[in-house]
Amino acid sequence: MAAVARCFRAPRGLLLPRAGPGISVLAAAPSVLQQHRQVHHAVIPHGRSGRSSVSGIVATVFGATGFLGRYVVNRLGRIGSQVIIPYRCDQYDLMYLRPMGDLGQLLFLEWDCKDKDSIRRAVEHSNVVINLVGKEWETKNFNFEDEFVNIPTRIAQITREAGVETLIHISHLNASMKSPSKYLRSKAVGEKAVREEFPDAIILKPSEMFGREDRFLNHYANMRWFGGVPLISLGKKTVKQPVYVVDVAKAIINAVKDPNAKGKTYALAGPNRYLLYDMVEYIYAVCFRTFLPYPLPRPLYHLVARFFEINPFEPWLTRDKVDRFHTTDMTFPDLPGLEDLGIQPTSLEQKAIEVLRRHRRYRWLDAELEEAKPAKTYPV
């Protein structure tokens, strides 16, 4: 009787040994011939919900050490997902991520964003790839084109070649080629490039996000050290619609679970729209600080921002950030939003106290939120 040869392919989510001394390349690589596919029990959803269960999701999260990344990793970890975290930072910047998953569920992998083999190692055993890579300012090593166009294009290309089922790319609500902000123009180009490389990619376009560690509400609250808040046209020509960072993290998880989300673009924004002037006034009302706005022309604002850019430390303000924060948030009635992913948007008034309490003086530390007059809203 002739022996029947069966070739099994290593399941996704199982890290394969690299070829080395005593290990042949054929043994280390998955077989091309696939008669029967054996699924490892570690990637079959089982157990009760929670960090010690197994969701069946094996996700690679690029940019996990950023503002949004920590919330995404936490949401993945709490449902029992295995998360591969490529990093370029110091080991100490990863410490707060380690408790977010069960033992052995978070795998940290050092990567080089310019090395395709490094990216391939990060995604080859995943069934979900999430790209959160980004920075608010340019450096001598990485400009906005690198961060928002070149890196996402490489990730999308290699993700497609690796046969990964789901790719989620984070863009921006105001991404446009006509924007005065280079940040937003680069986001628009990157969004188009990702769609071309991976047609089924899920693209999320959040507005400015607020949360405990944000650079939005905290940015304006810290402006009190400059004797007031400079605003172009007093902020009365700019309309903002900020979104809560936890809602965006929930949207990413729900998009991973929704099979109908593939190939779609979602516009993620909060439930209320505010004049920039009214929103900043509300920020100072919650902080129980004196609100002293004054108009500042754009060229003079850019000049002030330029002094922050040339300092050797992390720039607190940049010319591009001035343009981005004074850009009115666009509306996309034809695109699905948070509600289509089963999420009720959280308003600024509900969560502002979590962000701004630390900016209060001691005597107002425990003051009730109701004592602050709500900001005036405008129809969406």
Side-chain angles (χ1 to χ4, degrees):
M1 181 180 295
V4 179
R6 292 184 177 182
C7 298
F8 294 93
R9 181 182 176 186
R12 290 193 180 280
L14 218 58
L15 299 180
L16 297 173
R18 296 186 190 176
I23 302 177
S24 68
V25 176
L26 184 61
S31 175
V32 176
L33 299 176
Q34 183 177 345
Q35 304 283 339
H36 299 276
R37 184 173 182 181
Q38 187 179 25
V39 180
H40 196 275
H41 71 88
V43 295
I44 299 176
H46 63 269
R48 297 180 178 180
S49 60
R51 297 186 193 275
S52 296
S53 64
V54 175
S55 67
I57 297 173
V58 183
T60 299
V61 183
F62 292 96
T65 56
F67 171 45
L68 175 59
R70 66 188 72 193
Y71 292 92
V72 174
V73 172
N74 185 40
R75 288 276 160 181
L76 287 169
R78 71 193 299 178
I79 62 174
S81 304
Q82 187 177 55
V83 186
I84 300 165
I85 302 176
Y87 67 92
R88 300 177 289 167
C89 57
D90 190 89
Q91 285 279 354
Y92 288 100
D93 296 328
L94 304 170
M95 294 180 66
Y96 62 88
L97 294 175
R98 296 185 184 277
M100 292 183 180
D102 202 9
L103 185 64
Q105 289 293 81
L106 300 186
L107 306 175
F108 296 90
L109 176 68
E110 191 169 0
W111 74 300
D112 179 4
C113 61
K114 296 182 179 179
D115 181 11
K116 290 188 175 182
D117 291 333
S118 178
I119 300 175
R120 188 171 290 106
R121 283 196 298 271
V123 306
E124 62 184 349
H125 303 298
S126 301
N127 51 31
V128 176
V129 173
I130 304 171
N131 176 32
L132 308 175
V133 174
K135 207 167 186 115
E136 287 196 341
W137 62 90
E138 295 180 297
T139 66
K140 64 180 181 180
N141 295 320
F142 297 98
N143 55 29
F144 286 145
E145 186 178 359
D146 293 327
E147 294 284 348
F148 300 134
V149 181
N150 298 336
I151 295 176
T153 302
R154 290 191 203 104
I155 292 175
Q157 177 188 355
I158 295 171
T159 298
R160 175 176 51 80
E161 293 172 354
V164 178
E165 302 164 12
T166 305
L167 170 65
I168 296 181
H169 174 72
I170 302 299
S171 184
H172 195 282
L173 187 70
N174 297 326
S176 172
M177 290 302 299
K178 298 180 181 179
S179 174
S181 165
K182 185 180 178 183
Y183 176 103
L184 297 176
R185 293 196 302 271
S186 300
K187 280 280 190 180
V189 176
E191 186 179 320
K192 183 178 179 181
V194 168
R195 181 65 74 197
E196 291 175 354
E197 288 289 346
F198 200 111
D200 286 337
I202 303 170
I203 296 178
L204 305 182
K205 297 165 66 73
S207 59
E208 296 296 340
M209 293 179 286
F210 66 91
R212 291 179 183 268
E213 310 87 358
D214 71 16
R215 298 176 185 269
F216 187 56
L217 300 188
N218 284 311
H219 173 80
Y220 283 111
N222 284 322
M223 277 189 169
R224 67 182 185 273
W225 299 109
F226 296 93
V229 183
L231 297 170
I232 297 175
S233 300
L234 267 182
K236 295 187 177 181
K237 294 183 179 180
T238 304
V239 181
K240 307 301 286 186
Q241 193 175 354
V243 64
Y244 188 39
V245 64
V246 175
D247 289 344
V248 178
K250 289 179 181 178
I252 292 174
I253 305 304
N254 290 0
V256 169
K257 297 178 180 178
D258 186 2
N260 297 322
K262 291 184 178 179
K264 293 183 179 180
T265 300
Y266 291 84
L268 310 182
N272 300 324
R273 291 174 71 83
Y274 313 89
L275 277 180
L276 182 59
Y277 176 90
D278 294 332
M279 189 191 70
V280 179
E281 184 181 30
Y282 177 71
I283 291 172
Y284 278 77
V286 173
C287 296
F288 286 90
R289 298 280 184 172
T290 303
F291 178 49
L292 297 174
Y294 57 91
L296 194 63
R298 190 180 299 267
L300 189 56
Y301 213 150
H302 280 184
L303 180 62
V304 173
R306 178 59 182 158
F307 283 102
F308 285 96
E309 290 177 356
I310 62 177
N311 84 85
F313 306 102
E314 177 182 308
W316 182 76
L317 183 67
T318 65
R319 290 167 292 178
D320 193 89
K321 190 171 185 177
V322 171
D323 293 333
R324 181 160 53 92
F325 277 10
H326 287 85
T327 298
T328 293
D329 286 343
M330 294 188 287
T331 56
F332 297 91
D334 297 333
L335 293 182
L338 289 171
E339 295 85 353
D340 298 275
L341 290 170
I343 299 168
Q344 184 64 32
T346 304
S347 68
L348 175 66
E349 290 79 5
Q350 289 177 262
K351 297 296 181 179
I353 187 63
E354 294 184 3
V355 184
L356 301 172
R357 187 187 297 276
R358 68 188 187 91
H359 295 281
R360 290 179 170 183
R361 292 190 179 91
Y362 177 75
R363 62 175 294 191
W364 300 108
L365 199 59
D366 295 325
E368 297 295 332
L369 183 61
E370 289 75 14
E371 296 184 29
K373 181 182 178 181
K376 183 179 178 181
T377 60
Y378 293 80
V380 177

